[in-house]
Amino acid sequence: MSISNPTERSRAIFNEIGKVLTNPRCMNCHPAGDHPTQGDDRHEHMPPIWRAETGHVEVSCSGCHTTHNITLHEAATYRSIPGHPRWGFAPLSMAWQGKSLGDICRQLKDVQLNGGRDLAALQEHVARDDLVGWAWTPGEGRKPAPGSQQAAGELVQAWIDSGAECPR
């Protein structure tokens, strides 16, 4: 509220939203290449998975990822396998990796690149979609996205209310 210029306020709010969007919990599922990434260091997914839309044979995510997180009890290099009924990675049109926060913002506002969502539907997606909510309950051995899904939804609404301006 201390930023009186509405454009600058809106951009500052989106910069806060960007702390979630650029977190590995979000970025790993919004890859720019043919493969999702995993881990806080965003290494290539193992076993290898490809985007079907790039002409490769896609391996089904449900082969390893079930409807919920599974904590492993045997010795492994990771402590759990994440899961959700709609587990998968975003289409290439929704790729964020390698983009500036301003580019991500403009992409999120473009209904041709964001799954057909207007700003109200985008806010609903962030605030209430249980697949998005996974970022805050990522399973054993993973750090959650910063804040909470409720706070992220409130930030998106504040950004919309302030004019939905994008960082430069």
Side-chain angles (χ1 to χ4, degrees):
M1 297 301 292
S2 65
I3 302 172
S4 60
N5 179 298
T7 299
E8 291 307 312
R9 176 175 165 65
S10 188
R11 288 177 179 156
I13 292 169
F14 196 84
N15 282 330
E16 289 301 307
I17 296 165
K19 293 175 183 176
V20 173
L21 299 177
T22 59
N23 182 274
R25 298 295 75 80
C26 296
M27 282 291 198
N28 284 337
C29 295
H30 286 267
D34 287 345
H35 310 279
T37 55
Q38 61 188 133
D40 286 343
D41 63 353
R42 300 181 194 152
H43 61 274
E44 191 171 301
H45 189 281
M46 283 297 167
I49 304 292
W50 291 269
R51 290 184 186 280
E53 66 192 274
T54 59
H56 295 96
V57 176
E58 179 181 21
V59 178
S60 172
C61 298
S62 64
C64 296
H65 299 276
T66 64
T67 60
H68 59 281
N69 296 339
I70 297 176
T71 300
L72 300 175
H73 298 287
E74 64 273 4
T77 58
Y78 46 91
R79 296 173 56 195
S80 65
I81 299 172
H84 183 276
R86 295 181 288 123
W87 192 263
F89 59 106
L92 196 52
S93 66
M94 296 181 199
W96 299 341
Q97 287 182 355
K99 293 184 178 180
S100 72
L101 201 52
D103 287 340
I104 293 170
C105 178
R106 287 181 283 282
Q107 180 178 350
L108 286 173
K109 289 175 55 173
D110 186 336
V111 296
Q112 301 299 314
L113 301 175
N114 74 6
R117 294 177 179 93
D118 64 10
L119 291 177
L122 179 65
Q123 192 280 337
E124 178 75 15
H125 177 63
V126 172
R128 292 186 179 78
D129 187 301
D130 57 350
L131 181 57
V132 172
W134 176 89
W136 291 277
T137 56
E140 191 71 29
R142 285 177 195 80
K143 292 181 219 164
S148 67
Q149 186 171 19
Q150 179 180 343
E154 290 170 1
L155 277 170
V156 171
Q157 189 60 57
W159 171 67
I160 292 167
D161 293 344
S162 66
E165 296 290 334
C166 292
R168 294 183 181 129

